[in-house]
Amino acid sequence: MQVSRRSLIGAGSTLALTAMLPARGRAADCEPPCTPDEALDKLRKGNDYFANNAKPRDYDMSDTRRRTIAVKQTPFAAILCCSDSRAAPEQVFQAGLGELFVVRNAGTTVANPQALGSLEYAVGNVCVPLIVVLGHTRCGAAEAATGIAETGKPLPGSLEGMVLPLVSAAVWTRTRRGSATWTDATTIENVFRVTDTLKDPNQPVLHPKLEDGHLKIVPAIYDLETGKVNWAPQRAS
């Protein structure tokens, strides 16, 4: 039987991908760099430094550091956050090269397999002990979602598909936003909904780590003006 070059390449790619991904619910062959609470404490301290000093830390960007993490990455936290240029997590948490596993998309969602799969990879293969679902004030995607909720008018191109995961949160918070703006209330509701999704017992990679205490998933909101991360945002009820 003849085997084509294309089939060999396809088979090789499949094997490589299979080797990269964790088995369902099985811990990867690695150790987390710290506990979930220790990771959260690092982020808190990093943000305090950023918000109070507004200047960068001294990072180890040496050739030795780059070579070390080129062999193996050991980030202490994964951050699911918005693509907004003003909310870059490495700056917000004053983290250095190789310290954070960052997944960014407009609006902070897990509505596609790339975002969710990236977090599963971070936990299942890289063994991060903490996921932070980080929204931010004055989010453009959340504002667009409130526009759709109010007018029903579609957005052009792929923008509507990008914003749609936030529309249900916008609808929910329209009359339940308290003192927050509708946009910020939508963002807060969304980070809680995403957190709930990631904590779902049906999550094959994340939930076993949550159950055994090796993983923590927390929602948070970054304030663009103050530079501070709110670790206890108030959800609409």
Side-chain angles (χ1 to χ4, degrees), residues 69-148:
I69 63 176
V71 175
K72 180 182 180 181
Q73 62 170 323
T74 56
F76 67 84
I79 313 295
L80 173 66
C81 58
C82 186
S83 300
D84 194 297
S85 62
R86 302 164 294 177
E90 288 88 353
Q91 281 73 50
V92 169
F93 297 115
Q94 289 292 276
L97 190 65
E99 292 186 323
L100 298 180
F101 190 102
V102 180
V103 180
R104 300 184 72 172
N105 59 65
T108 311
T109 73
V110 285
N112 62 63
Q114 287 75 24
L116 181 55
S118 294
L119 294 174
E120 290 178 344
Y121 180 81
V123 171
N125 284 62
V126 187
C127 290
V128 298
L130 174 69
I131 295 175
V132 176
V133 181
L134 184 67
H136 67 88
T137 58
R138 301 186 179 185
C139 177
E143 184 177 11
T146 64
I148 292 177

Side-chain angles (χ1 to χ4, degrees), residues 196-220:
D196 291 343
T197 296
L198 297 178
K199 288 183 175 181
D200 191 285
N202 292 318
Q203 293 289 352
V205 177
L206 305 183
H207 193 259
K209 292 293 188 76
L210 284 167
E211 285 287 281
D212 62 22
H214 291 161
L215 175 66
K216 182 173 285 189
I217 304 174
V218 299

Side-chain angles (χ1 to χ4, degrees), residues 7-19:
S7 64
L8 284 173
I9 292 173
S13 299
T14 301
L15 287 172
L17 181 60
T18 302

Side-chain angles (χ1 to χ4, degrees), residues 114-193:
Q114 287 75 24
L116 181 55
S118 294
L119 294 174
E120 290 178 344
Y121 180 81
V123 171
N125 284 62
V126 187
C127 290
V128 298
L130 174 69
I131 295 175
V132 176
V133 181
L134 184 67
H136 67 88
T137 58
R138 301 186 179 185
C139 177
E143 184 177 11
T146 64
I148 292 177
E150 184 171 30
T151 67
K153 292 182 179 179
L155 296 175
S158 297
L159 291 174
E160 185 167 356
M162 177 192 74
V163 170
L164 280 179
L166 299 167
V167 173
S168 61
V171 171
W172 173 257
T173 56
R174 183 171 188 171
T175 58
R176 299 177 177 90
R177 56 182 184 261
S179 61
T181 66
W182 191 8
T183 295
D184 286 352
T186 298
T187 298
I188 294 169
E189 177 64 18
N190 177 66
V191 297
F192 275 104
R193 291 187 181 199

